[in-house]
Amino acid sequence: MAEVVNLFIVETRSRLHRMASPDIDPGRLTREAHTLKGAAGTVCAPRLAGLAAALEARLRAGGSMGPTEVDGLAAAFDAYVTEVCDVVQLEQAPA
């Protein structure tokens, strides 16, 4: 389990960084939100999965991402990392 969580943490940090880029095209942003939704669901991060699902649905309906939305995703991610570190013995806390 720790290996899966470590991989999720590393990949999600990169994903959130890509999603925050002002140059990201809408199709790529939608795919990133979809992937984040699935990955968060897999590692039992329901708050993050829900936010990603809402973003994906809005993007698919032609909407856009709000200016602080990545901050909300990042806050949910950080809360998950804090919680999971108390439960799962991570070999090394990914930076």
Side-chain angles (χ1 to χ4, degrees):
M1 180 66 174
E3 185 176 324
V4 172
V5 172
N6 274 325
L7 181 60
F8 171 75
I9 291 170
V10 169
E11 288 183 354
T12 300
R13 281 202 176 103
S14 295
R15 179 165 288 108
L16 290 173
H17 185 300
R18 289 190 300 272
M19 291 174 77
S21 171
D23 299 325
I24 192 169
D25 68 83
R28 173 78 187 259
L29 182 58
T30 302
R31 288 188 301 277
E32 294 286 6
H34 175 80
T35 302
L36 179 57
K37 173 187 74 175
T42 298
V43 298
C44 300
R47 174 82 177 129
L48 184 55
L51 291 172
L55 174 59
E56 179 191 10
R58 190 171 56 259
L59 292 169
R60 289 194 187 279
S64 60
M65 184 168 67
T68 61
E69 203 148 10
V70 170
D71 294 339
L73 291 167
F77 171 68
D78 289 342
Y80 169 80
V81 170
T82 298
E83 289 176 27
V84 81
C85 283
D86 291 340
V87 176
V88 176
Q89 294 294 323
L90 298 179
E91 294 172 14
Q92 176 180 354

